[in-house]
Amino acid sequence: MSFTVAIVGRPNVGKSTLFNRLVGKKLALVDDTPGVTRDRRPGEAKLVDLRFRIIDTAGLEAAGPDTLEGRMRAQTEAAIDEADLSLFVVDAKYGLTPVDQSLAEMLRRRGKPVVLVANKSEAKGSDGGFYDAYTLGLGEPVPISAEHGQGMIDLRDAIVEAIGEERAFPEPEDVAETDVVLPQGDAEGDEDGEAEPEYDESKPLRVAIVGRPNAGKSTLINRFLGEDRLLTGPEAGITRDSISVEWDWRGRTIKMFDTAGMRRKARVQEKLEKLSVADTLRAVRFAETVVIVFDATIPFEKQDLQIVDFVLREGRAAVLAFNKWDLVEDPQAVLADLREKTERLLPQARGIRAVPISGQTGYGLDKLMQNIVDTDKVWNKRISTAKLNRWLDAVTTQHPPPAVSGRRLKLKYMTQVKARPPAFMISCTRPDALPESYVRYLSNGLRTDFQMPGVPIRIHFKAGENPFENRKKKH
């Protein structure tokens, strides 16, 4: 991107609505409640012929540094310092407040280009607020309606004038094909064949961090980044929407999503919290590997188990992180207890990787990243048809399928139909009659014999003939 723009203003003036308008997607949560946005959220913006990086920020309020509002203000000021230009949004319908005046003074002191944006200018009675904006001393305000998309061409012209033609339209650069990363869900329709493709160590990896409120998710990501990029504090539920950050680990790009804490459904009453949870679910579905953060001092709450179950049902690769390890008094005894409970309480995630960590001190983070990569390798794994059928012959000989109504079930042929997560198809007689216990036997055997711990495994059964039988007869 040629330049970076920060959207700033007091709470509830429409900053996130403008952000969503410019990025062309509903990335930021929007609600009538003031102060929905708390972290700074980056995005790639398009405005007519302009392309630039944009940062949505928390509404600025006067507050002490040790309060939640004060920490939100520090995040916003960091975004202003990072940006080349600020869009200062005021509410033309409501008019100016003393907070707007102090923000204008702060922006003037920084000496960076500012475009004054008078939002909600389509509303009745907005003329007074629009003309009041001149008194801020930041030039002519641009009247827009972020909700309805009005005034976007005028906004484009004001940005070009403030940033300069050269910055707005830099010389085009050659973009390598490898720079383009498309969302990848379950890879349906992968080719079936004997080749087992090698894992691509250079491919960017998308990781979602999920867990109950106050488990330490944002603190963990800040420790990975080496900076206070995400808002943290003792209050539960600080993060409200999914924020993505990028960083490198051993030369590989990691795109990590911080998410809102997931409480039990019965406790999620407010509309805003429902939006936050829905945003978290979207982040899980977009990610490849999901780290479920447990509070090691109170692990395996009912909600923890439900979160793990949801992640596995969505087909994601999962890693458990037992956070706040610095607060554990007897690490060896607690670790043994956690291992026993993991095996007993999460039978559907047999062999899942679990790592004790401390987001506060940095303990165990390198090991956690290695486990994330190792789990992603398993999630992407492909096994050749020849190996699968040799395996199927061996396991059915050792433990044949049971007879149903006096007739023996026969498993004829097996192939892997997709990866991400690994899914297999077995051609057999009377698939509906195969007992669930035998399906578990096959699933557990696949995990053990092909080293696929901790990822969801799908097995589909289909009535039909071996597709290679006719080919064999011809020869």
Side-chain angles (χ1 to χ4, degrees):
M1 292 290 121
S2 53
F3 59 96
T4 300
V5 174
I7 304 179
V8 299
R10 61 179 172 79
N12 218 30
V13 293
K15 298 183 297 299
S16 293
T17 304
L18 178 58
F19 173 86
N20 286 343
R21 170 75 55 186
L22 293 175
V23 298
K25 301 174 190 173
K26 290 185 178 179
L27 291 182
L29 292 189
V30 177
D31 192 70
D32 293 335
T33 310
V36 172
T37 303
R38 288 175 167 176
D39 280 294
R40 57 190 201 263
R41 172 192 282 278
E44 308 300 334
K46 177 182 177 183
L47 181 57
V48 193
D49 54 348
L50 282 179
R51 304 289 183 278
F52 51 94
R53 181 171 176 266
I54 195 158
I55 307 172
D56 188 21
T57 67
L60 281 172
E61 300 178 80
D66 294 330
T67 63
L68 175 58
E69 290 76 14
R71 298 195 300 276
M72 289 162 61
R73 184 185 180 97
Q75 287 285 317
T76 298
E77 289 181 359
I80 294 169
D81 292 336
E82 181 186 343
D84 303 296
L85 166 79
S86 292
L87 297 183
F88 179 26
V89 184
V90 297
D91 186 336
K93 180 181 176 183
Y94 186 85
L96 296 186
T97 70
V99 176
D100 291 315
Q101 299 284 355
S102 64
L103 292 181
E105 179 60 33
M106 184 188 77
L107 289 167
R108 269 198 303 272
R109 283 199 306 269
R110 275 171 162 74
K112 288 189 172 184
V114 178
V115 172
L116 181 58
V117 180
N119 191 28
K120 308 181 188 179
S121 290
E122 84 288 1
K124 286 183 180 179
S126 63
D127 287 353
F130 171 75
Y131 288 113
D132 275 354
Y134 278 94
T135 64
L136 294 172
L138 292 172
E140 184 177 349
V142 181
I144 71 161
S145 168
E147 186 173 356
H148 302 292
Q150 297 170 6
M152 292 298 115
I153 292 177
D154 291 338
L155 180 59
R156 174 260 182 213
D157 293 343
I159 290 174
V160 172
E161 184 179 346
I163 201 75
E165 291 273 352
E166 288 186 6
R167 292 294 302 279
F169 304 104
E171 291 296 319
E173 298 177 5
D174 292 331
V175 179
E177 286 187 21
T178 52
D179 291 338
V180 182
V181 181
L182 296 175
Q184 299 170 10
D186 289 348
E188 299 285 358
D190 290 335
E191 280 189 69
D192 179 28
E194 295 302 305
E196 295 180 5
E198 288 194 12
Y199 181 74
D200 185 0
E201 298 274 2
S202 64
K203 180 179 67 70
L205 180 58
R206 296 193 304 275
V207 181
I209 308 293
V210 303
R212 286 186 290 117
N214 216 26
K217 300 179 292 295
S218 300
T219 303
L220 171 61
I221 295 179
N222 283 343
R223 177 62 65 173
F224 272 129
L225 296 174
E227 61 172 299
D228 290 336
R229 170 63 182 79
L230 298 170
L231 193 62
T232 62
E235 304 90 348
I238 289 178
T239 303
R240 280 179 167 165
D241 50 5
S242 306
I243 303 294
S244 68
V245 294
E246 283 192 14
W247 56 287
D248 281 352
W249 182 75
R250 297 182 181 174
R252 184 172 186 180
T253 300
I254 307 294
K255 186 165 188 177
M256 210 167 247
F257 298 85
D258 186 26
T259 64
M262 297 171 70
R263 296 199 298 161
R264 282 193 292 119
K265 200 171 184 179
R267 291 190 178 179
V268 179
Q269 301 292 343
E270 295 180 15
K271 174 190 169 191
L272 181 56
E273 188 168 358
K274 289 179 181 177
L275 290 172
S276 295
V277 171
D279 204 39
T280 297
L281 303 186
R282 277 195 299 273
V284 168
R285 290 172 181 132
F286 186 68
E288 294 160 324
T289 303
V290 179
V291 176
I292 301 119
V293 181
F294 285 53
D295 183 336
T297 62
I298 43 169
F300 291 110
E301 297 274 299
K302 184 179 179 183
Q303 181 66 0
D304 291 324
L305 302 177
Q306 289 176 338
I307 292 170
V308 176
D309 189 58
F310 166 75
V311 170
L312 295 175
R313 279 189 286 108
E314 285 297 319
R316 302 300 98 178
V319 176
L320 306 185
F322 293 108
N323 193 25
K324 306 187 182 179
W325 203 248
D326 51 309
L327 303 180
V328 172
E329 293 183 0
D330 188 350
Q332 291 302 322
V334 172
L335 193 58
D337 182 56
L338 291 176
R339 281 177 180 153
E340 184 275 325
K341 285 180 177 172
T342 301
E343 289 181 19
R344 177 165 51 85
L345 298 173
L346 297 171
Q348 75 276 37
R350 194 167 165 185
I352 193 168
R353 290 173 169 88
V355 186
I357 64 163
S358 170
Q360 199 69 44
T361 67
Y363 170 78
L365 296 203
D366 208 49
K367 187 176 179 183
L368 175 61
M369 275 309 308
Q370 188 59 61
N371 276 270
I372 289 170
V373 171
D374 291 344
T375 302
D376 188 62
K377 286 180 183 177
V378 175
W379 193 64
N380 281 274
K381 190 163 190 169
R382 294 198 68 86
I383 306 165
S384 72
T385 301
K387 283 184 182 178
L388 287 171
N389 282 290
R390 285 196 296 270
W391 176 84
L392 185 65
D393 285 343
V395 295
T396 52
T397 300
Q398 182 181 351
H399 182 188
V404 178
S405 303
R407 292 168 57 194
R408 177 72 63 185
L409 300 175
K410 186 177 180 184
L411 307 187
K412 301 178 179 179
Y413 168 79
M414 181 176 187
T415 187
Q416 184 171 357
V417 291
K418 62 187 277 297
R420 308 160 57 84
F424 305 89
M425 189 278 292
I426 296 178
S427 175
C428 63
T429 58
R430 302 165 67 204
D432 294 341
L434 201 65
E436 188 62 36
S437 58
Y438 198 78
V439 177
R440 279 199 303 272
Y441 163 69
L442 293 173
S443 180
N444 290 336
L446 278 170
R447 274 191 205 288
T448 303
D449 296 337
F450 292 103
Q451 289 81 51
M452 294 192 291
V455 301
I457 290 177
R458 315 281 196 237
I459 303 179
H460 307 286
F461 296 90
K462 176 182 168 186
E465 298 300 317
N466 184 337
F468 290 102
E469 279 185 3
N470 292 334
R471 194 182 299 179
K472 288 174 184 174
K473 288 174 185 175
K474 287 177 184 176
H475 291 297

